[in-house]
Amino acid sequence: MSKPLRLDPHTIDEIVALCDTMLATLSHAIDRSEDLTRAVSFGGFESAEQLRRGFLVKARGTPESAYERLTQFHEVLARMRETFAAGGQGFLDAEYDWARRLGTTDST
């Protein structure tokens, strides 16, 4: 049987901070992925134009493209962050409420 997960306030803060850092990094990568769509020309040959169009498709416009994948990762990580922040706070509230009640219980 697995051990229960125990989160203290410091651990929750660290997880949320890590998520914030990763979200900032992903946001920057999403912004930079716009540069991938600025491939002006690979030369005057038809094969070069086909190659350019292929790179544009990989950059943006399909569910598998760089921009869309980065955006998907950002959305999932943002939800994870919210879950840790909300769930962690709920966990802490319940834990401290339990400790408070225990502390105020008559010892007789």
Side-chain angles (χ1 to χ4, degrees), residues 18-71:
L18 285 169
C19 288
D20 288 340
T21 300
M22 292 171 63
L23 286 167
T25 301
L26 281 171
S27 292
H28 180 61
I30 290 167
D31 292 343
R32 293 292 313 270
S33 72
E34 288 292 322
D35 294 342
L36 298 172
T37 62
R38 295 191 183 107
V40 180
S41 175
F42 287 173
F45 297 107
E46 177 57 31
S47 60
E49 180 56 27
Q50 290 172 354
L51 183 62
R52 185 185 76 81
R53 284 193 303 265
F55 276 112
L56 292 177
V57 168
K58 289 180 182 278
R60 191 169 190 160
T62 67
E64 297 81 22
S65 67
Y67 175 83
E68 279 74 12
R69 283 291 188 223
L70 289 169
T71 301

